[in-house]
Amino acid sequence: MSTIETLPGTRDILSPEIGYWQRLEAIAREILAKAAYREIRTPIFEQTSLFERGIGEATDVVGKEMYTFKDKGDRSTTLRPEGTAGVVRAFIKNSLYAQGDVQRLWYTGPMFRYERNQAGRQRQFNQIGVEVLGSADPRADVEVLAIASDILKTIGLTNLRLDINSIGNKEDRQNYRQALIDYLTPYKEELDPDSQDRLIRNPLRILDSKNPRTQEIAADAPSILDYLGENSRRHFEKVQQMLTDLGIKYQLNPRLVRGLDYYTYTAFEIISDDLGAQATVCGGGRYDGLVKELGGPDTPAVGWAMGLERLILLLQQLQPAPTNALDFYVVSRGDRAEVQAVLLAQKLRSFGFSVEIDLSGSAFKKQFGRADRSGAVACLIIGDEEAESQSVKLKWMASKEQSAIAQSDLLEKAEELRCQIDSIKNT
Ligand code: ATP
Ligand code: MG
């Protein structure tokens, strides 16, 4: 029979790569908990209209990349292409705004976009994201940036750039929009087809184009920073001042507009020079217009999303895969010995040890070979003799030292063993 392949743009994540994922998730979880963010889990599929309204129909995500289908009840359904729209929908549906001034939320999970599959770009990919809902204060912008920076630093990525911009509020953008249209119109024929299409509908997004000629033209476009009103300017200055105070380096990038329509004021990206074309590992900003747009009360908000595949690609260039070294490998042979091995393993696990038990029933020699390959710190051996006397042989894999000990004594010495094992693991 023919084997079944994974679909393009999807993949299995196996050991040892999974070690990077688990460590990254654990670090993010801890940092987010310390900053009082609460996890939220929303559905992986939602009504298509949520994304059409929440992301904007003129974006690539909605226009080209969504996995949209009719379910058996004839509902237009879409696999979530990003996390923010679902979180905002949940915020509104569950009246989270009634629970206090500010909601700090985070999520992680798979997102789906029908894109060309390449390194760092998949059709099912994973993000961690945060959303702070209910604060217009520039301190919220800086808080989420500081958290992103903390996570990236703690996992061991330091060679990253932070680009920031302000795209102002609606009014500023209206003024800028006209200036941009005036500048771009004479070049209309030279723009890529998508950008020609956007010239009137959504000219800001032309700055985001990946087409080289369009980028060249956009390089000399007027800067949005010259069109910011008083409020926007003050907000942006405060963000920059606090970033400096926190020692977070950044550079201004007036072409940074983000792909999504609901952003206001601060926009940012964290970029790596070690990833080739798929260089952005984190993107975010303020989106004061979205909650209202989706039918909720007027609520300012700011957040970001990190692409985990790209972070893992970077970590693989820098560090060996983190592993969880096993404490004990249990080898046994003979009916009574095998049952005692199961009981002993279970007890050791309840004391907090990690224990793998050999189920093969094969000769001791073969089981010892597997004990060696398991990476366990110590091996426990139960044969007929040990079963008879309710004892066990304890063998330290590195030194090959071996001693016999009563099974009950082994458990009584759990604390001492823990120390010994940890000190071996740490050398
Ligand atoms: P890009 O310009 O690379 O397409 P984007 O602007 O579409 O990115 P966002 O919607 O801001 O990306 O998503 C945030 C992050 O999620 C990105 O910076 C990236 O790290 C990651 N990401 C987005 N799309 C993909 C994908 N198809 N495969 C892997 N990671 C992705
Ligand atoms: Mg994209």
PDB file of all heavy atoms in Angstrom, residues 94 129 150 191 223 246 301 304:
ATOM      1  N   ASN A  94     -17.340  37.193  25.735  1.00  0.00           N
ATOM      2  CA  ASN A  94     -17.345  36.854  27.153  1.00  0.00           C
ATOM      3  C   ASN A  94     -17.323  38.085  28.058  1.00  0.00           C
ATOM      4  O   ASN A  94     -17.061  37.960  29.261  1.00  0.00           O
ATOM      5  CB  ASN A  94     -16.152  35.943  27.468  1.00  0.00           C
ATOM      6  CG  ASN A  94     -16.195  34.653  26.668  1.00  0.00           C
ATOM      7  OD1 ASN A  94     -17.039  33.795  26.917  1.00  0.00           O
ATOM      8  ND2 ASN A  94     -15.329  34.534  25.675  1.00  0.00           N
ATOM      9  N   GLY A 129       1.459  34.695  21.145  1.00  0.00           N
ATOM     10  CA  GLY A 129       1.092  36.095  21.026  1.00  0.00           C
ATOM     11  C   GLY A 129       0.576  36.644  22.341  1.00  0.00           C
ATOM     12  O   GLY A 129       0.143  35.896  23.221  1.00  0.00           O
ATOM     13  N   ASP A 150      12.441  40.130  26.482  1.00  0.00           N
ATOM     14  CA  ASP A 150      12.812  39.206  27.558  1.00  0.00           C
ATOM     15  C   ASP A 150      12.772  37.754  27.096  1.00  0.00           C
ATOM     16  O   ASP A 150      13.688  36.977  27.382  1.00  0.00           O
ATOM     17  CB  ASP A 150      11.756  39.353  28.657  1.00  0.00           C
ATOM     18  CG  ASP A 150      12.376  39.654  29.991  1.00  0.00           C
ATOM     19  OD1 ASP A 150      13.566  40.006  30.012  1.00  0.00           O
ATOM     20  OD2 ASP A 150      11.657  39.541  30.996  1.00  0.00           O
ATOM     21  N   LEU A 191       4.478  50.047 -10.712  1.00  0.00           N
ATOM     22  CA  LEU A 191       4.218  49.264  -9.493  1.00  0.00           C
ATOM     23  C   LEU A 191       3.795  47.842  -9.862  1.00  0.00           C
ATOM     24  O   LEU A 191       3.285  47.604 -10.959  1.00  0.00           O
ATOM     25  CB  LEU A 191       3.096  49.918  -8.672  1.00  0.00           C
ATOM     26  CG  LEU A 191       3.359  51.337  -8.153  1.00  0.00           C
ATOM     27  CD1 LEU A 191       2.097  51.904  -7.494  1.00  0.00           C
ATOM     28  CD2 LEU A 191       4.522  51.356  -7.165  1.00  0.00           C
ATOM     29  N   SER A 223       7.448  60.357   4.392  1.00  0.00           N
ATOM     30  CA  SER A 223       7.468  59.561   5.626  1.00  0.00           C
ATOM     31  C   SER A 223       6.224  59.857   6.457  1.00  0.00           C
ATOM     32  O   SER A 223       5.850  61.012   6.648  1.00  0.00           O
ATOM     33  CB  SER A 223       8.715  59.909   6.430  1.00  0.00           C
ATOM     34  OG  SER A 223       8.562  59.461   7.761  1.00  0.00           O
ATOM     35  N   LEU A 246      14.817  51.567  29.336  1.00  0.00           N
ATOM     36  CA  LEU A 246      14.906  50.136  29.638  1.00  0.00           C
ATOM     37  C   LEU A 246      16.121  49.475  28.978  1.00  0.00           C
ATOM     38  O   LEU A 246      16.349  48.281  29.147  1.00  0.00           O
ATOM     39  CB  LEU A 246      13.643  49.415  29.159  1.00  0.00           C
ATOM     40  CG  LEU A 246      12.386  49.603  30.008  1.00  0.00           C
ATOM     41  CD1 LEU A 246      11.162  49.099  29.279  1.00  0.00           C
ATOM     42  CD2 LEU A 246      12.532  48.869  31.338  1.00  0.00           C
ATOM     43  N   ALA A 301      -5.943  48.813  22.372  1.00  0.00           N
ATOM     44  CA  ALA A 301      -5.270  47.530  22.590  1.00  0.00           C
ATOM     45  C   ALA A 301      -3.922  47.508  21.891  1.00  0.00           C
ATOM     46  O   ALA A 301      -3.685  48.235  20.932  1.00  0.00           O
ATOM     47  CB  ALA A 301      -6.144  46.387  22.078  1.00  0.00           C
ATOM     48  N   TRP A 304       1.404  41.547  20.140  1.00  0.00           N
ATOM     49  CA  TRP A 304       2.331  41.053  19.122  1.00  0.00           C
ATOM     50  C   TRP A 304       2.139  39.561  18.936  1.00  0.00           C
ATOM     51  O   TRP A 304       1.492  38.899  19.756  1.00  0.00           O
ATOM     52  CB  TRP A 304       3.787  41.354  19.453  1.00  0.00           C
ATOM     53  CG  TRP A 304       4.305  41.003  20.822  1.00  0.00           C
ATOM     54  CD1 TRP A 304       4.666  41.894  21.802  1.00  0.00           C
ATOM     55  CD2 TRP A 304       4.565  39.690  21.372  1.00  0.00           C
ATOM     56  NE1 TRP A 304       5.115  41.215  22.914  1.00  0.00           N
ATOM     57  CE2 TRP A 304       5.066  39.862  22.676  1.00  0.00           C
ATOM     58  CE3 TRP A 304       4.419  38.392  20.900  1.00  0.00           C
ATOM     59  CZ2 TRP A 304       5.424  38.796  23.521  1.00  0.00           C
ATOM     60  CZ3 TRP A 304       4.770  37.310  21.733  1.00  0.00           C
ATOM     61  CH2 TRP A 304       5.264  37.528  23.016  1.00  0.00           C
TER      62      TRP A 304
END
